[in-house]
Amino acid sequence: MSTRLFTSESVTEGHPDKVCDCISDAMLDAILAEDANARVACECAASTDLVLVMGEVTTTAHVDVEQIVRSVVDEIGYNKPEYGFDVKTLNVITALNKQSPDIALGVDHALEEKNGEAEALFSTGAGDQGMMFGYACDETPELMPLPISLAHALTRRLTSARKSGELDYLRPDGKSQVTVEYDGNTPVRIHTVVVSAQHDEADMVQLRQDITDCVILPVLPAALVDEHTRILVNPTGRFVIGGPTGDSGLTGRKIIVDTYGGYARHGGGAFSGKDPTKVDRSGAYIARYAAKNVVAAGLAKQCEIQLAYAIGVARPVSVRVDTFGTGVADDSEIERAVKLVFDFRPAAIIETLGLRRPIYRQTAAYGHFGRLDLDLPWERLDRVDALKQAIGK
């Protein structure tokens, strides 16, 4: 087999785009806590000492937008004037409107219901057209690709070292990037690791040593590190100005970080700030749930599932399973089993995964999938036996 390289990145919660994702999902959680049936599409933009909260929200809930914004910003750690983005002085602008009644028309009453099909769970139509992908592979215990798994572990560790005071000169913004060398489909070594961490004025030699010793080496699997593994820490030499002051932020601009690090396809829809009638979010979650159970059941070493929806229609217009030649049966047979075991209609997804709860803020940074630190319903392996039975294994 030929060797190849694959690279994925992650960013910390203090990255400007992630600040916006965190605010959007905090808004969603606050609304769902009061109104489980709310329609929410809340986006955020951030720049120097400025946050704009915008979007479409139809709800009976009454939430304090400014308080939510400030709470998130403070929790992330932007609480000093020298950061240029400070919880105490930032300006919050709100521009929220109700969901379009034209969209609500299709979501409230699916096409199947209008056509007289009275089957339960048909009442909710997809909130938009589009395609979503779910993926799983057997490279890691969490059934995720190794590059994105390690990249997230590095940014989580970087944030932990900052918040615990272990590296008290760090600031909230940061990034990681991991390049893995593969022999065929098997990871054989870590080729390159990049970590860029925002910091106070500091000695760069000491900072690089600290981050290598306290962040990078404890995360990397020792068996995959050798004398040729390249480690780059703050390669520009300085990263004092960061966060929304260094670069404006926007909700939904880190969709590859949120999913599989580019290792699998992406339909293009963002997650944060969207209630579960938006299939950009719920469809991607159920697709991951199905793909993960396929791999855990031993039906394939890799599995990618594509769903596609039409706005206002409950049933997906297409379901596709691709095991990249690793399946124990033809992809068409695994696809048939998946369709038997999983219901991909929006209302069924919401019910199966319990998505009308305030569970989303915790997913806004460090990935929505493969999170062993969280109890996320789409990560459960409770359909393994049903899939085996459906395919006759």
Side-chain angles (χ1 to χ4, degrees):
M1 301 290 286
S2 61
T3 59
R4 61 188 178 92
L5 302 178
F6 195 89
T7 303
S8 294
E9 73 158 347
S10 178
V11 299
T12 69
E13 63 202 49
H15 183 279
D17 296 326
K18 276 292 149 206
V19 170
C20 294
D21 286 341
C22 289
I23 291 171
S24 292
D25 274 336
M27 282 288 298
L28 174 62
D29 277 1
I31 292 168
L32 290 178
E34 293 187 27
D35 178 11
N37 294 308
R39 300 283 167 76
V40 182
C42 180
E43 300 189 41
C44 179
S47 188
T48 303
D49 260 343
L50 173 67
V51 170
L52 168 62
V53 179
M54 56 192 167
E56 296 77 46
V57 177
T58 301
T59 181
T60 59
H62 299 279
V63 299
D64 187 333
V65 176
E66 183 169 342
Q67 188 277 328
I68 291 169
V69 170
R70 294 190 188 279
S71 176
V72 171
V73 170
D74 191 34
E75 180 188 339
I76 290 171
Y78 285 111
N79 48 29
K80 296 181 180 179
E82 58 265 34
Y83 293 172
F85 187 77
D86 179 11
V87 61
K88 296 181 288 295
T89 58
L90 66 85
N91 297 298
V92 179
I93 300 173
T94 303
L96 294 172
N97 300 291
K98 289 187 176 181
Q99 183 186 59
S100 163
D102 296 345
I103 296 175
L105 184 67
V107 177
D108 293 342
H109 304 285
L111 180 66
E112 291 90 338
E113 180 185 351
K114 296 170 186 175
N115 288 342
E117 302 175 48
E119 186 178 345
L121 296 175
F122 262 147
S123 59
T124 300
D128 201 351
Q129 72 174 44
M131 63 280 191
M132 304 84 216
F133 291 91
Y135 180 80
C137 64
D138 63 359
E139 290 182 16
T140 60
E142 60 271 29
L143 303 184
M144 288 286 285
L146 183 61
I148 189 64
S149 182
L150 291 177
H152 284 321
L154 287 169
T155 51
R156 286 197 302 270
R157 175 65 187 141
L158 190 64
T159 297
S160 174
R162 171 177 63 88
K163 289 188 170 182
S164 69
E166 183 179 2
L167 300 180
D168 60 1
Y169 53 78
L170 293 181
R171 293 183 177 185
D173 199 355
K175 291 184 174 184
S176 71
Q177 185 172 283
V178 178
T179 302
V180 174
E181 183 176 320
Y182 287 80
D183 185 0
N185 291 320
T186 303
V188 294
R189 61 183 293 269
I190 307 299
H191 182 278
T192 303
V193 175
V194 183
V195 172
S196 295
Q198 186 190 15
H199 56 86
D200 294 337
E201 297 292 346
D203 178 87
M204 293 308 299
V205 173
Q206 186 63 52
L207 179 144
R208 289 187 174 115
Q209 191 64 55
D210 287 348
I211 290 178
T212 300
D213 293 342
C214 300
V215 176
I216 297 175
L217 294 181
V219 165
L220 300 184
L224 297 181
V225 177
D226 60 27
E227 67 273 18
H228 300 296
T229 297
R230 193 178 187 196
I231 295 177
L232 301 172
V233 177
N234 283 34
T236 65
R238 176 183 169 88
F239 185 7
V240 172
I241 300 171
T245 298
D247 188 10
S248 60
L250 188 65
T251 297
R253 203 156 52 183
K254 280 288 177 279
I255 57 176
I256 302 303
V257 171
D258 287 342
T259 52
Y260 307 101
Y263 204 90
R265 297 176 181 92
H266 196 298
F271 300 156
S272 290
K274 295 179 181 177
D275 77 80
T277 66
K278 279 72 172 175
V279 284
D280 279 341
R281 181 166 223 157
S282 54
Y285 287 174
I286 196 74
R288 160 65 178 174
Y289 182 42
K292 186 177 183 183
N293 276 266
V294 166
V295 173
L299 304 185
K301 295 175 69 64
Q302 298 182 63
C303 182
E304 183 182 77
I305 295 178
Q306 184 200 44
L307 306 176
Y309 291 89
I311 188 169
V313 181
R315 290 196 180 279
V317 298
S318 71
V319 178
R320 178 179 182 270
V321 172
D322 189 348
T323 65
F324 306 95
T326 68
V328 300
D330 288 342
D331 285 353
S332 60
E333 284 300 300
I334 297 175
E335 183 179 302
R336 179 190 60 79
V338 165
K339 289 178 179 178
L340 283 173
V341 173
F342 296 92
D343 190 336
F344 296 114
R345 293 171 294 174
I349 298 170
I350 291 168
E351 181 179 87
T352 298
L353 300 179
L355 297 182
R356 292 198 185 278
R357 300 174 291 144
I359 60 173
Y360 300 105
R361 168 66 178 87
Q362 62 186 342
T363 69
Y366 315 113
H368 293 244
F369 307 126
R371 296 292 298 275
L372 298 180
D373 56 320
L374 303 176
D375 180 21
L376 299 175
W378 51 89
E379 292 295 313
R380 295 172 185 165
L381 297 175
D382 53 3
R383 301 294 180 94
V384 166
D385 291 339
L387 282 167
K388 289 179 178 178
Q389 183 176 358
I391 207 165
K393 296 294 182 181

